[in-house]
Amino acid sequence: RFLRANASRYGIDGTRVGVWGGSAGGHLTALTAMTCGVASLDAPLAPGAAAPAAGSECVQAAVTWYGVYDFAPMLARTATAPGSPPNLLIRCRPDDCPAERVAAVSPVTYIDPSDPPFLLIHGDADTQVPVAQSHLAEERLRAAGVPVEAIYIPGAEHSFIMATPEQTHSVTMRAVNATFDFFHRKLGVR
């Protein structure tokens, strides 16, 4: 909304907005892209606060790197670590967390056919965010008829870490190039 409201100020085209993030940023990217028009997620205004900028929060393309799409399995993995990021985000213990709270922060809850095209990139050796998260998102997006592309990088850990710095650089550049190529195609940018 802010970018669209200030498009002329920043010299951008507010009709072609793409979002991109990795890990926690990938979760937020997916949540942003999949919740277009979901008013229940608008934060309540503090007394005296200005209303959000007018305009749509909808985006036209999204790229996620090793993001979280369903917090239920992530909470199960961290049941013995109450200070873990998933537990801190949801603010409840895994053994008594209301299903609605978990669903509210899980992007898969909001998938529908109006979602923008997605590119998912994930290392298949990721021990922080299992690659199953991206497989689930890909499957659910396809089932909803949302255009989705996925790249699974063999042997890559979280943040595309590989056995050597050269390998890490190589797979990271592959992900960066795929990301920009995707945005160029989907947003019509040359």
Side-chain angles (χ1 to χ4, degrees):
R1 290 176 184 166
F2 176 84
L3 290 176
R4 287 198 171 95
N6 292 280
S8 61
R9 178 178 178 190
Y10 293 108
I12 61 172
D13 181 349
T15 65
R16 296 186 296 180
V17 177
V19 289
W20 166 20
S23 196
H27 164 252
L28 294 175
T29 292
L31 201 57
T32 298
M34 294 174 184
T35 60
C36 173
V38 179
S40 64
L41 294 180
D42 284 342
L45 292 177
S56 170
E57 72 279 6
C58 301
V59 300
Q60 288 66 55
V63 177
T64 60
W65 291 3
Y66 37 84
V68 176
Y69 306 94
D70 183 359
F71 269 93
M74 296 302 289
L75 275 175
R77 291 182 70 213
T78 61
T80 59
S84 71
N87 296 339
L88 291 173
L89 173 70
I90 300 173
R91 296 182 183 202
C92 58
R93 292 190 338 238
D95 55 346
D96 69 356
C97 197
E100 328 57 77
R101 189 178 293 180
V102 176
V105 298
S106 296
V108 294
T109 301
Y110 306 98
I111 292 175
D112 69 44
S114 69
D115 290 338
F118 266 81
L119 170 62
L120 314 173
I121 308 178
H122 211 129
D124 71 0
D126 194 328
T127 57
Q128 289 188 32
V129 177
V131 70
Q133 287 283 325
S134 287
H135 287 298
L136 173 68
E138 179 184 12
E139 175 187 306
R140 299 267 181 94
L141 287 163
R142 275 192 210 294
V146 177
V148 59
E149 300 172 30
I151 298 171
Y152 300 106
I153 301 173
E157 224 318 341
H158 200 66
S159 300
F160 305 134
I161 302 299
M162 299 290 287
T164 68
E166 295 77 21
Q167 291 172 320
T168 300
H169 178 266
S170 176
V171 298
T172 301
M173 291 311 299
R174 176 181 174 203
V176 167
N177 288 328
T179 298
F180 281 102
D181 289 347
F182 178 81
F183 282 136
H184 288 165
R185 284 191 320 275
K186 299 303 177 184
L187 300 176
V189 179
R190 298 206 187 273

